Each structure stands twice: as C-alpha cells, then as structure tokens.
Amino acid sequence: LFITGYSQGGYAAAAFHKGMQDKHGASFVTAAAYNSGPYSLSGVMRDLILVDSAYQYPAYIPNTMLGFNEYYEAFDDIADVFKPEFVTDIQKYYDGDIYLTELNERIIDTLTQYFGSPVAYHMLNDNILDSIANRPNYIINKLLEQNDVYNWVPESPTRIFYCKGDDQVPYKNSEVAIAEMYLLGADTDDVKAEDLDDGSGMTHADCVQPAF
C-alpha cells in the first residue's frame, strides 16, 4: 500500500496513513508521500484567519467551516459565523450552485469592495473572530486542533514534499510537521521533508509536478 496526495490530498494522505498505522500496524503501509498539505490546521492555517494581510484564497475558510459543521454541528446557521455580505455566496457554494473557485472570486471581490483588500478575517462576524483569536477552548479552535495531522510518528518510509513559494498552503505546514515528528521520535532516515522550489518562488500550482 502506497499513500500519496497533493494539497487537500496531502492532508488526507497523512490522515489516512495515521489511520492505517493505528488500525493495522506500520507494516500495513509500504511508504507514503504527503505533498503541500495543510497539516497544521490549529497553527499555520489558523494564522491565515488572524493576520492583517491579504490572502488570495479566502474561500478555504468557509469551505473548512462548512465541512466541520457537517460532522460536528458546531453552529446552527452560516449567518452565525459570516457577515451578511458573504452569506449568500457561501450558501450558493454549499448548495452546489457555484464551485469553490467561483466562491473564492466572489469573496475576494466582496472583501475588496467593503474592506479595501482580501484580508480574510473581515468575512467573519466580530464575535467569532474574537473567540478564535482569544479563546483557546473555543469550539472552532478545538476542532482545528483535533484535526491536526502532524503530531504523530510515521513508522513507514515517509516523505513530505513542499515548495517555499506556495501561495495557497503555507510551506510552514511541512516544517511544523517534520519538526514535531522528529520531536516525537520519528526516524530521520525514514521520515524526511524536502523543499522542491527551484529558486523561482514556485507557487502551489507550480509545485504539483515536481512533488509527484
């Protein structure tokens, strides 16, 4: 069994690897490679919500929130989390009327129209933003932490590939993951991370081919 995936699939590959190892033992997985995934939801990815700088892929935030809510029922209504200017488009995405790429374009346009630039936290209601920023035990923070996939030790040969120029999923996810795995005792010969950027500032899209 070989496990791999890119971006969201990189995250899924890490989660699947851990699940197979926990259930069946290390010998069940021959090898794994995670590519450019958001392994640190409660740290690196959460910071994207809080920083006062533009982010060109803000639709990942409602995508994640909606996914959590399907499973955990963390809130009753989209309007409980997002400001009114964004609710209609997010609902259209949830209903399948538009794709994620179109939702992203609409959110960027709305953020720019109302707030001057696509700073992601402006789409959140003030009480939600305050809770994420200041309450470690807030439900969203706890769910992000619960769904981190880097705080374990792969016991099969594993590679974590990424590019430092990634504009969608910060490369810090991979650095945090490999550092924590080593701290927990991962074999440095079997478990390794590698920056594949050729020096040109390879984006998330550019990194796909060399990663695979």
Side-chain angles (χ1 to χ4, degrees):
L1 175 65
F2 293 88
I3 300 171
T4 193
Y6 190 85
S7 191
Q8 180 176 306
Y11 173 95
F16 182 57
H17 185 182
K18 183 178 186 302
M20 290 296 97
Q21 180 174 294
D22 289 348
K23 185 174 182 178
H24 300 288
S27 62
F28 194 79
V29 178
T30 307
Y34 325 142
N35 305 306
S36 300
Y39 320 111
S40 174
L41 295 181
S42 69
V44 177
M45 300 309 292
R46 174 178 171 272
D47 287 348
L48 290 177
I49 300 175
L50 302 176
V51 295
D52 193 21
S53 58
Y55 179 51
Q56 297 300 321
Y57 299 91
Y60 288 154
I61 295 170
N63 183 63
T64 301
M65 294 283 198
L66 292 169
F68 277 170
N69 207 48
E70 280 288 309
Y71 191 82
Y72 299 106
E73 298 181 346
F75 52 88
D76 294 326
D77 191 89
I78 293 172
D80 294 340
V81 179
F82 298 97
K83 290 177 179 175
E85 298 91 339
F86 303 93
V87 168
T88 299
D89 288 332
I90 293 172
Q91 185 66 51
K92 287 182 178 179
Y93 168 66
Y94 181 70
D95 292 338
D97 295 332
I98 60 175
Y99 291 109
L100 185 64
T101 51
E102 185 174 353
L103 175 63
N104 196 66
E105 293 170 359
R106 293 186 181 197
I107 289 177
I108 288 175
D109 289 344
T110 304
L111 285 169
T112 303
Q113 176 185 347
Y114 284 93
F115 304 101
S117 65
V119 175
Y121 66 72
H122 286 305
M123 78 175 76
L124 298 170
N125 287 326
D126 292 342
N127 64 314
I128 299 295
L129 178 62
D130 181 71
S131 294
I132 293 173
N134 299 306
R135 293 172 52 196
N137 290 324
Y138 181 54
I139 181 64
I140 291 175
N141 288 328
K142 296 301 290 183
L143 292 178
L144 290 170
E145 183 179 7
Q146 184 176 329
N147 286 276
D148 285 335
V149 292
Y150 65 87
N151 45 357
W152 63 292
V153 178
E155 296 178 10
S156 305
T158 300
R159 296 294 180 268
I160 303 174
F161 295 120
Y162 63 96
C163 289
K164 277 196 171 181
D166 198 317
D167 55 336
Q168 293 190 38
V169 181
Y171 74 92
K172 289 290 185 182
N173 281 281
S174 298
E175 291 191 338
V176 166
I178 195 66
E180 181 68 11
M181 288 174 177
Y182 285 162
L183 186 65
L184 294 173
D187 189 319
T188 56
D189 290 326
D190 279 347
V191 182
K192 298 180 181 180
E194 182 180 348
D195 176 14
L196 301 176
D197 199 321
D198 60 8
S200 64
M202 297 172 70
T203 66
H204 194 67
D206 296 332
C207 202
V208 175
Q209 192 276 333
F212 278 108

